[in-house]
């Protein structure tokens, strides 16, 4: 199933439009890795051509592809992809590594994760630059993404000394009733192009402290980030005389993704990507009775009540709508504004957007605040959505244009004049398009917030405490993330991250998300000389 090769995309992407292109046998044009401006690439251990498979050894047998920088569509470096045969070798080695790792005490596993976090800290800037170069997000966001991996390593290290079950009262004399948490086995991770480092980190750190081994299939368009991260993790494993296959990597296309999803040796599949592909992944994993963790689409809304502080609303909404060029799963796509402040909000948002136009550009430049879309497919989806919005009666208040320059640059766009139930509004478009919808009261806004198929992130701006508790309660938002007076994006790692409905229901990162990476056993231990039955049953 070829669509699995585009697991990071929020829409199904055809092979023709993938920005990881097949290399020709002739000599390649100048690679960015050889440009002194990008010296950080070689400092991370990358080369002109890199093996995209690691199972304790770096070796791949698949086709050679090119990783492309969205800022210029120039080739960064080449990667030899893996095949299904490479997958078979990797999963066998990963499964074997788990058998050794599962018996290591959890606090000692936490120490390894702590060292991985330190290794990332020492390479924070270089790895952040690579994320920016290969994905397209600005450097501050690239570094911030790596920091998320560092933070979850810190969280997981502490967690390794507090993985707690329960001791429960038994109704039977001389019996102990308790819960025991044990490792699952192998965790397969399919990550997305928009967070090519952090999504793996959330899964990897928790999976390791929980006693699992990991095998990673990254998005086809961000293989260099995956290779660089795996090299850093490998160095920690080698230093501690642990098998490298504890954290295996197989870069590749849909055949590799399909092999991972269908393989019974993969005990948990963590998939981040589009709802369309996630629906298929969920059905296939459930079909073999495996465990699945889905992080899918989001059509997120900010509600601006009539008592909101607009000096907080405007910067929050701008960041949430245009950050990462609208390519976060938590990006604000709908701004639901009370009619009393609607005109002022639209006018102030439009002025704020205009101030950023001169700061759209190379994500590695210090002045840049908005980078490119990840590939030309994203540009096409952006254009199609705007055309549909106009045809449906919408008005472009700002933006709506593709910038005529190298790379995949578009103007962040504000669209007004549409109803909240317009087809283009309720369908997620992975681009910086914000629909501003007029509402008359909070109840109407909550109904619109909950009317879309996804349920990831949401936020209410208000100064009324009654509104706050209604919003976070049973009559409020149906999303997994329910904020007040902050944007929909920018979640901290301490809380569980994930959403409801077509967002998939999975939870990653903090809180008790670790439970998804372990199996729970309820244990009854009879330490008496009697054999009483539960519920007072007599069998005599």
């Amino acid at each position: 199933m070829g669509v699995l090769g585009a697991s990071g995309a929020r829409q199904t992407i055809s092979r023709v439009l993938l920005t990881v292109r097949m290399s020709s046998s002739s000599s390649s044009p100048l690679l960015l890795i050889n440009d002194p401006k990008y010296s950080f690439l070689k400092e991370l251990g990358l080369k002109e051509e890199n093996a995209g498979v690691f199972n304790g050894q770096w070796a791949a047998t698949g086709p050679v592809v090119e990783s492309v920088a969205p800022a210029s569509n120039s080739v960064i470096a080449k990667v030899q992809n893996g095949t299904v045969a490479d997958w078979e070798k990797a999963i066998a080695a990963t499964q074997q590594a788990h058998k050794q790792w599962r018996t290591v005490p959890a606090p000692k596993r936490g120490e390894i994760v702590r060292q991985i976090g330190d290794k990332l800290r020492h390479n924070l800037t270089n790895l952040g630059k690579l994320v920016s170069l290969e994905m397209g997000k600005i450097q501050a966001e690239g570094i911030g993404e790596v920091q998320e991996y560092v933070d979850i390593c810190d969280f997981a290290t502490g967690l390794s000394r507090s993985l707690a079950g329960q001791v429960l009262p038994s109704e039977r004399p001389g019996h102990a009733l308790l819960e025991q948490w044990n490792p699952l086995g192998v965790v397969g991770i399919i990550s997305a192009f928009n967070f090519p480092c952090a999504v793996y980190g959330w899964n990897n750190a928790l999976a390791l402290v929980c006693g699992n081994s990991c095998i990673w299939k990254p998005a086809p368009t961000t293989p260099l980030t995956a290779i660089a991260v795996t090299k850093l993790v490998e160095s920690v494993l080698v230093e501690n005389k642990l098998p490298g296959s504890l954290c295996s990597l197989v870069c590749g296309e849909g055949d590799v993704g399909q092999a991972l999803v269908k393989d019974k040796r993969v005990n948990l599949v963590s998939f981040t990507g589009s709802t369309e592909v996630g629906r298929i992944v969920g059905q296939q994993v459930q079909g073999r009775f495996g465990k699945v963790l889905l992080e899918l689409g989001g059509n997120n809304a900010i509600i601006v009540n009539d008592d909101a502080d607009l000096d907080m609303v405007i910067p929050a909404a701008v960041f949430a709508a245009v950050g990462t060029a609208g390519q976060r799963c938590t990006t604000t796509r709908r701004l639901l504004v009370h009619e009393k402040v609607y005109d002022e909000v639209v006018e102030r948002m439009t002025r704020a957007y205009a101030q950023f136009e001169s700061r759209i550009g190379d994500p590695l430049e210090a002045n840049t605040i908005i980078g490119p879309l990840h590939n030309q497919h994203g540009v096409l989806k952006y254009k199609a959505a705007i055309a549909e919005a106009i045809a449906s009666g919408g008005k472009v208040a700002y933006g709506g244009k593709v910038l005529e320059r190298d790379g995949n640059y578009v103007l962040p766009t504000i669209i007004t004049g549409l109803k909240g139930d317009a087809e283009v509004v309720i369908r997620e478009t992975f681009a910086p398009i914000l629909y501003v919808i007029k509402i008359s009261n909070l109840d109407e806004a909550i109904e619109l917030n909950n009317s879309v198929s996804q349920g990831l992130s949401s936020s209410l701006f208000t100064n009324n405490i009654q509104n706050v508790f209604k919003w976070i309660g049973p009559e409020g938002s149906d999303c997994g993330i329910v904020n007040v007076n902050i944007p929909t994006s920018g979640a901290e790692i301490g809380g569980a991250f994930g959403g409801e409905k077509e967002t998939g229901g999975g939870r990653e990162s903090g809180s008790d998300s670790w439970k998804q990476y372990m199996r729970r056993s309820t244990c009854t231990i009879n330490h008496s000389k009697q054999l009483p039955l539960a519920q007072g049953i007599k069998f005599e």
Side-chain angles (χ1 to χ4, degrees), residues 15 17 28 36 51 98 224 241 252 279 288 297 303 308 415 418 495 499 502-503 506 515 521:
R15 288 178 181 270
L17 290 170
S28 299
H98 167 252
L224 295 176
K241 297 181 174 55
R279 181 177 286 110
R288 62 175 176 83
I303 297 173
I415 293 178
L418 292 174
E502 290 189 4
T503 301
K515 292 180 179 179
S521 300

Side-chain angles (χ1 to χ4, degrees), residues 210-230:
C210 289
N212 305 298
S213 56
C214 299
I215 188 161
W216 183 13
K217 194 273 182 194
T221 51
T222 53
L224 295 176
T225 299
I227 291 168
V229 167
T230 300

Side-chain angles (χ1 to χ4, degrees), residues 143-166:
I143 292 173
E145 179 175 342
V146 181
Q147 184 65 48
E148 282 194 54
Y149 195 168
V150 173
D151 291 345
I152 199 66
C153 284
D154 289 345
F155 177 90
T157 300
L159 180 65
S160 70
R161 291 185 178 271
S162 59
L163 293 167
Q166 295 187 79

Side-chain angles (χ1 to χ4, degrees), residues 28 62 65 67 136 177-178 185-186 196 213 229 251 268 271-272 279 281 302 345 349 374 459 486 505 507 513:
S28 299
V65 299
S67 176
L177 180 62
L178 54 90
V186 176
S213 56
V229 167
C251 298
L268 169 66
F271 172 84
T272 302
R279 181 177 286 110
V281 169
I302 288 178
V345 168
M349 288 290 293
H374 186 59
S459 186
I486 65 168
R507 292 297 187 274
S513 299

